[in-house]
Amino acid sequence: MVLYFFLIIPFVSGVFGEVRYSIPEEMKQGSVIGNLARDLGLDITELGKRKARVVAEGSKQYCELSTETGSLLVSERMDREELCAQTAVCVVQFQLLLENPLKVYSLILEVQDINDNSPVFTNGQIELELVESTILGRRFPLESARDPDMGTNTIKHYRLSQNDHFVLEMNKQVNANAYPELVLKKALDRETQSDYYLTISGIDGGNPLRSGTASIHIHVLDANDNVPVFSQRIYKAFVAENSPPGTLVTKINATDLDDGVYGEVTYSFSHVSDKTRGVVEIDGVTGEVRVIGLMDYEDVNVHELDVQAKDGGGQSSHCKLIIDVIDLNDNSPVISVKSASSSVSEDSSPGTMVALLNVYDLDTGSSGRVTCHITDNVPFRLLSEVKNYFMLVTDDILDRETHAAFNITITAVDSGSPPLFSSKVIPITVSDVNDNAPVFSQELYTVNIPENRPQGTSVIRVTAEDKDFGSNAKIHYSLQLKSDPAATSFLSINSETGDIFTSHPFDYETASHFQVVVSACDMGNPPLCSTCTVRVFVSDQNDNAPVILYPVQSSSFIAEDRVPLAAPKGYLVTKVIAVDADAGHNAWLSYRIIKATEPELFSVGLHCGEIRTLRPFYEDDEVKQTLEVLVEDNGPESLSATATVSIALGDSLPVVDELSDFGEDESAPSNSNEDLVFYLIVALASVSGLLLVLISSVVYVKLCRRSFYRGGASNLPVFPPTYGGPPHYSDVSRWGTLDDDSRYNSFMTTGSWRGDFRFSTGGSVGSGGGVGGGSGIGIIDYDTMTKRSLPPLKNDSLVRLTTSSAASLKPKPRGRLSVPRKV
Ligand SMILES: *[C@@H]1O[C@H](CO)[C@@H](O)[C@H](O)[C@H]1NC(C)=O
Ligand SMILES: *[C@@H]1O[C@H](CO)[C@@H](O)[C@H](O)[C@H]1NC(C)=O
């Protein structure tokens, strides 16, 4: 530290004992201000003794006296600025006191200024706000710096940091402190540089120089000289359709370089088409575009909007927003029936169109690709020849009787993910065609009807069914006339119900069985018909009384039968022959003598009607004998007839031997027996021969039938009439199929005199023995009928036929054959 010693001038004033010193401020403690003893001419040794001391006037003691050297020393820091502030001359007064004797010396210290203070800006941070449009040359006064030092030590000049826009100029107004001013020299642009940071320095004139600085912050304020600028000219956004309200579509970003309200951009739609209105909205502040309504691709697939951005100063600009709606599979396919015939005829050929459908989907892409299919297992299929058009055609033969109606479900599926589908049911009825004939429940109806039932008796009901529908299934029954006019006349039919009635009472004896053909026709166009056979068997009733054929009845006595007087006991006198037109039990006749001239003389065979003698005749027996024979049938209410037999006994008549072998043979001569044996052998041999011939012919016939069966009736064997008549005259032919249990096949007639075999030749009245079975009487017609209506005879029938024919060929006692002699 350098001490500056000012020239200490011992200033001896006129006043006694006054010393004046001039010292720089801020001297170090202990620094010597001056030698007071010498300057005042005092003895140093005296100082101590006289208790010399320096007293200040104020509270502060800046100096002290060194009693050893007599020097005045700085005891405390002296700051001129503190002691005297801004007074030009700074003086501090002291007194030096001496005691013994008291002596006061005045001490004056003049404190000199030194440059110990730097210039200071009270506000070290200067803030300035300038509008960027400020005109050049505009001055902005700045605060001046302060320096407490005096004179040259105070502020001398200011300096501004380096910059392009501003300079500093001093304002030297009269009677005022000079202060610096900031002058704008170059136009400002906030958008280029909005803030300038400068420093201003105040520099004093001391030596060395001291300076103080302040920083200046110049904030350039905005002028609305910019329009909002969009980050893109065209915004493109993609939004899935059906996005819920609130979905962010895009964010519009426009920037305005201006500051404050001039840079505050608000967004709005400047042009919205009608279709877009209500679909999206824009947030005026953030520029966010959001969905608010229904975004439907099928309605509008692209939204085009004009967006305006406007700043607070009213400047605006525009951009375009294009929103592409992304199609979603939100539409089910639509099936629309363009035409459909509700019914299709069952005889339609495959490929007949039933319905035409249009199938479409409002979606696009794969969501709009539609495939179509129908229910399985139906005789229909879909055919598509034009895009989106499907024809429903028949694929098979239809049959209303199997399937009268169909519900065809058509399902359309699009290819979206997940796929949507819809379906439609097309009801189709199959209309009827008369393709089914009526079908009888039975092909053959068999019915038994007792004879003599009144006209209109119900016989049977035939029923037929037709699977068709309506009039095609309505059945009309009728008797087929041409099948057999005679039989048809027996019956009538209810054409609606199929009930068959008798047209008049039947007579078993006229026709025991017949058949008619019933046809059932539907009402279709053309009608279809089918037939069935009704076979009617008339069952017999006992409505015919026996008829006496022999002897011929007359009112007067005619001795038809003569008996030799010598006739032995058991002699066959005659035979009552009666027939009954009925059949079976009703025709089973029994004979009884109810009245006789000589009761014990004759007997009648109960079933054969043979009248035999009970004893030999006596002389006195009456020549004319009359018998009344009651012939009764075996019906439930038996009918009867009475035969009157007249017998004449005659002397001259020879006794016929053959007739007696039946009775007691013991009376016959032995040689006649030998003759008989011979005859028997001859007859047996011839019969055996005939039998052989017959058997071989039967075998031949069988073979012929087998090989020539299809040749027709001409191949059937024809037996010689002598063998008992045509074969079909037998019972077998009469009954056709004799298996029928209700037939009485064993009681045809018992018109034989010995009952040992039956006559089987139904029609043998004229051709056989003349007195054959009576059962054929009155039914001669019958053969022609059976020939037509009955099937050819079976082989077993033929065998039976032939055996019965053979039976009729057995050797018959000549006498027996010739018994019914006419007298
Ligand atoms: C706007 O765009 C500018 C420039 O691309 C970007 O700096 C700013 O962050 C965007 N503002 C918004 C709100 O996205
Ligand atoms: C078709 O559908 C209708 C209505 O559901 C029904 O009455 C009818 O019986 C159905 N037909 C067939 C053949 O399934």
PDB file of all heavy atoms in Angstrom, residues 229-232 235 251-255 267 285-287, ligand 1:
ATOM      1  N   VAL A 229     -49.892 -20.063 -40.735  1.00  0.00           N
ATOM      2  CA  VAL A 229     -49.415 -20.937 -41.822  1.00  0.00           C
ATOM      3  C   VAL A 229     -49.667 -22.371 -41.421  1.00  0.00           C
ATOM      4  O   VAL A 229     -49.288 -22.809 -40.336  1.00  0.00           O
ATOM      5  CB  VAL A 229     -47.910 -20.703 -42.077  1.00  0.00           C
ATOM      6  CG1 VAL A 229     -47.420 -21.692 -43.130  1.00  0.00           C
ATOM      7  CG2 VAL A 229     -47.673 -19.287 -42.512  1.00  0.00           C
ATOM      8  N   PHE A 230     -50.358 -23.071 -42.294  1.00  0.00           N
ATOM      9  CA  PHE A 230     -50.653 -24.493 -42.022  1.00  0.00           C
ATOM     10  C   PHE A 230     -49.411 -25.314 -42.260  1.00  0.00           C
ATOM     11  O   PHE A 230     -48.614 -25.030 -43.158  1.00  0.00           O
ATOM     12  CB  PHE A 230     -51.781 -24.989 -42.932  1.00  0.00           C
ATOM     13  CG  PHE A 230     -53.131 -24.454 -42.533  1.00  0.00           C
ATOM     14  CD1 PHE A 230     -53.691 -23.385 -43.208  1.00  0.00           C
ATOM     15  CD2 PHE A 230     -53.816 -25.028 -41.481  1.00  0.00           C
ATOM     16  CE1 PHE A 230     -54.931 -22.896 -42.836  1.00  0.00           C
ATOM     17  CE2 PHE A 230     -55.053 -24.530 -41.118  1.00  0.00           C
ATOM     18  CZ  PHE A 230     -55.612 -23.465 -41.786  1.00  0.00           C
ATOM     19  N   SER A 231     -49.301 -26.379 -41.455  1.00  0.00           N
ATOM     20  CA  SER A 231     -48.128 -27.229 -41.641  1.00  0.00           C
ATOM     21  C   SER A 231     -48.238 -28.018 -42.942  1.00  0.00           C
ATOM     22  O   SER A 231     -47.238 -28.469 -43.471  1.00  0.00           O
ATOM     23  CB  SER A 231     -47.966 -28.171 -40.455  1.00  0.00           C
ATOM     24  OG  SER A 231     -49.138 -28.932 -40.272  1.00  0.00           O
ATOM     25  N   GLN A 232     -49.478 -28.240 -43.415  1.00  0.00           N
ATOM     26  CA  GLN A 232     -49.636 -28.904 -44.710  1.00  0.00           C
ATOM     27  C   GLN A 232     -50.701 -28.124 -45.474  1.00  0.00           C
ATOM     28  O   GLN A 232     -51.584 -27.527 -44.871  1.00  0.00           O
ATOM     29  CB  GLN A 232     -50.142 -30.344 -44.545  1.00  0.00           C
ATOM     30  CG  GLN A 232     -49.160 -31.277 -43.865  1.00  0.00           C
ATOM     31  CD  GLN A 232     -49.859 -32.556 -43.402  1.00  0.00           C
ATOM     32  OE1 GLN A 232     -49.899 -32.815 -42.219  1.00  0.00           O
ATOM     33  NE2 GLN A 232     -50.409 -33.315 -44.327  1.00  0.00           N
ATOM     34  N   TYR A 235     -54.618 -31.719 -45.741  1.00  0.00           N
ATOM     35  CA  TYR A 235     -54.559 -32.774 -44.717  1.00  0.00           C
ATOM     36  C   TYR A 235     -55.392 -33.939 -45.204  1.00  0.00           C
ATOM     37  O   TYR A 235     -56.503 -33.756 -45.694  1.00  0.00           O
ATOM     38  CB  TYR A 235     -55.131 -32.274 -43.397  1.00  0.00           C
ATOM     39  CG  TYR A 235     -54.235 -31.285 -42.688  1.00  0.00           C
ATOM     40  CD1 TYR A 235     -54.261 -29.935 -43.020  1.00  0.00           C
ATOM     41  CD2 TYR A 235     -53.371 -31.716 -41.690  1.00  0.00           C
ATOM     42  CE1 TYR A 235     -53.436 -29.034 -42.390  1.00  0.00           C
ATOM     43  CE2 TYR A 235     -52.541 -30.812 -41.046  1.00  0.00           C
ATOM     44  CZ  TYR A 235     -52.569 -29.473 -41.389  1.00  0.00           C
ATOM     45  OH  TYR A 235     -51.751 -28.589 -40.757  1.00  0.00           O
ATOM     46  N   LYS A 251     -55.305 -33.760 -36.594  1.00  0.00           N
ATOM     47  CA  LYS A 251     -55.067 -32.500 -35.894  1.00  0.00           C
ATOM     48  C   LYS A 251     -54.508 -31.518 -36.906  1.00  0.00           C
ATOM     49  O   LYS A 251     -53.495 -31.792 -37.551  1.00  0.00           O
ATOM     50  CB  LYS A 251     -54.082 -32.735 -34.753  1.00  0.00           C
ATOM     51  CG  LYS A 251     -53.915 -31.516 -33.894  1.00  0.00           C
ATOM     52  CD  LYS A 251     -53.158 -31.847 -32.644  1.00  0.00           C
ATOM     53  CE  LYS A 251     -52.986 -30.573 -31.831  1.00  0.00           C
ATOM     54  NZ  LYS A 251     -52.231 -30.795 -30.637  1.00  0.00           N
ATOM     55  N   ILE A 252     -55.206 -30.401 -37.031  1.00  0.00           N
ATOM     56  CA  ILE A 252     -54.763 -29.359 -37.939  1.00  0.00           C
ATOM     57  C   ILE A 252     -53.776 -28.482 -37.171  1.00  0.00           C
ATOM     58  O   ILE A 252     -54.016 -28.144 -36.009  1.00  0.00           O
ATOM     59  CB  ILE A 252     -55.953 -28.491 -38.395  1.00  0.00           C
ATOM     60  CG1 ILE A 252     -57.052 -29.365 -38.990  1.00  0.00           C
ATOM     61  CG2 ILE A 252     -55.491 -27.417 -39.371  1.00  0.00           C
ATOM     62  CD1 ILE A 252     -56.755 -29.926 -40.329  1.00  0.00           C
ATOM     63  N   ASN A 253     -52.686 -28.155 -37.775  1.00  0.00           N
ATOM     64  CA  ASN A 253     -51.673 -27.354 -37.080  1.00  0.00           C
ATOM     65  C   ASN A 253     -51.285 -26.179 -37.969  1.00  0.00           C
ATOM     66  O   ASN A 253     -50.665 -26.349 -39.009  1.00  0.00           O
ATOM     67  CB  ASN A 253     -50.456 -28.241 -36.774  1.00  0.00           C
ATOM     68  CG  ASN A 253     -49.401 -27.494 -35.979  1.00  0.00           C
ATOM     69  OD1 ASN A 253     -49.624 -26.338 -35.587  1.00  0.00           O
ATOM     70  ND2 ASN A 253     -48.277 -28.138 -35.753  1.00  0.00           N
ATOM     71  N   ALA A 254     -51.717 -25.030 -37.549  1.00  0.00           N
ATOM     72  CA  ALA A 254     -51.284 -23.818 -38.246  1.00  0.00           C
ATOM     73  C   ALA A 254     -50.490 -22.977 -37.242  1.00  0.00           C
ATOM     74  O   ALA A 254     -50.873 -22.896 -36.079  1.00  0.00           O
ATOM     75  CB  ALA A 254     -52.483 -23.045 -38.755  1.00  0.00           C
ATOM     76  N   THR A 255     -49.416 -22.435 -37.688  1.00  0.00           N
ATOM     77  CA  THR A 255     -48.622 -21.614 -36.775  1.00  0.00           C
ATOM     78  C   THR A 255     -48.618 -20.183 -37.277  1.00  0.00           C
ATOM     79  O   THR A 255     -48.565 -19.925 -38.488  1.00  0.00           O
ATOM     80  CB  THR A 255     -47.184 -22.126 -36.692  1.00  0.00           C
ATOM     81  OG1 THR A 255     -46.727 -22.409 -38.005  1.00  0.00           O
ATOM     82  CG2 THR A 255     -47.112 -23.392 -35.859  1.00  0.00           C
ATOM     83  N   TYR A 267     -59.269 -22.160 -35.115  1.00  0.00           N
ATOM     84  CA  TYR A 267     -59.600 -22.963 -36.300  1.00  0.00           C
ATOM     85  C   TYR A 267     -61.095 -23.033 -36.472  1.00  0.00           C
ATOM     86  O   TYR A 267     -61.863 -23.035 -35.508  1.00  0.00           O
ATOM     87  CB  TYR A 267     -59.061 -24.377 -36.139  1.00  0.00           C
ATOM     88  CG  TYR A 267     -57.566 -24.437 -35.908  1.00  0.00           C
ATOM     89  CD1 TYR A 267     -57.037 -24.439 -34.628  1.00  0.00           C
ATOM     90  CD2 TYR A 267     -56.689 -24.511 -36.988  1.00  0.00           C
ATOM     91  CE1 TYR A 267     -55.677 -24.506 -34.411  1.00  0.00           C
ATOM     92  CE2 TYR A 267     -55.312 -24.575 -36.783  1.00  0.00           C
ATOM     93  CZ  TYR A 267     -54.814 -24.577 -35.487  1.00  0.00           C
ATOM     94  OH  TYR A 267     -53.481 -24.646 -35.295  1.00  0.00           O
ATOM     95  N   VAL A 285     -59.439 -24.272 -30.758  1.00  0.00           N
ATOM     96  CA  VAL A 285     -58.169 -23.933 -30.112  1.00  0.00           C
ATOM     97  C   VAL A 285     -57.070 -24.915 -30.504  1.00  0.00           C
ATOM     98  O   VAL A 285     -55.995 -24.533 -30.929  1.00  0.00           O
ATOM     99  CB  VAL A 285     -58.347 -23.899 -28.583  1.00  0.00           C
ATOM    100  CG1 VAL A 285     -57.024 -23.622 -27.901  1.00  0.00           C
ATOM    101  CG2 VAL A 285     -59.384 -22.844 -28.217  1.00  0.00           C
ATOM    102  N   THR A 286     -57.395 -26.185 -30.382  1.00  0.00           N
ATOM    103  CA  THR A 286     -56.340 -27.169 -30.587  1.00  0.00           C
ATOM    104  C   THR A 286     -56.230 -27.623 -32.033  1.00  0.00           C
ATOM    105  O   THR A 286     -55.222 -28.196 -32.427  1.00  0.00           O
ATOM    106  CB  THR A 286     -56.595 -28.399 -29.718  1.00  0.00           C
ATOM    107  OG1 THR A 286     -57.846 -28.968 -30.130  1.00  0.00           O
ATOM    108  CG2 THR A 286     -56.688 -28.031 -28.246  1.00  0.00           C
ATOM    109  N   GLY A 287     -57.254 -27.387 -32.792  1.00  0.00           N
ATOM    110  CA  GLY A 287     -57.215 -27.836 -34.185  1.00  0.00           C
ATOM    111  C   GLY A 287     -57.544 -29.307 -34.333  1.00  0.00           C
ATOM    112  O   GLY A 287     -57.346 -29.878 -35.399  1.00  0.00           O
TER     113      GLY A 287
HETATM  114  C1  LIG B   1     -47.256 -27.559 -35.261  1.00  0.00           C
HETATM  115  O1  LIG B   1     -46.222 -27.754 -36.190  1.00  0.00           O
HETATM  116  C2  LIG B   1     -44.988 -27.232 -35.730  1.00  0.00           C
HETATM  117  C3  LIG B   1     -44.022 -27.360 -36.870  1.00  0.00           C
HETATM  118  O2  LIG B   1     -44.187 -28.579 -37.518  1.00  0.00           O
HETATM  119  C4  LIG B   1     -44.551 -28.004 -34.481  1.00  0.00           C
HETATM  120  O3  LIG B   1     -43.348 -27.495 -34.016  1.00  0.00           O
HETATM  121  C5  LIG B   1     -45.612 -27.833 -33.427  1.00  0.00           C
HETATM  122  O4  LIG B   1     -45.290 -28.584 -32.297  1.00  0.00           O
HETATM  123  C6  LIG B   1     -46.925 -28.283 -33.957  1.00  0.00           C
HETATM  124  N1  LIG B   1     -47.926 -27.927 -32.990  1.00  0.00           N
HETATM  125  C7  LIG B   1     -48.795 -28.830 -32.557  1.00  0.00           C
HETATM  126  C8  LIG B   1     -49.789 -28.320 -31.571  1.00  0.00           C
HETATM  127  O5  LIG B   1     -48.772 -29.978 -32.959  1.00  0.00           O
END
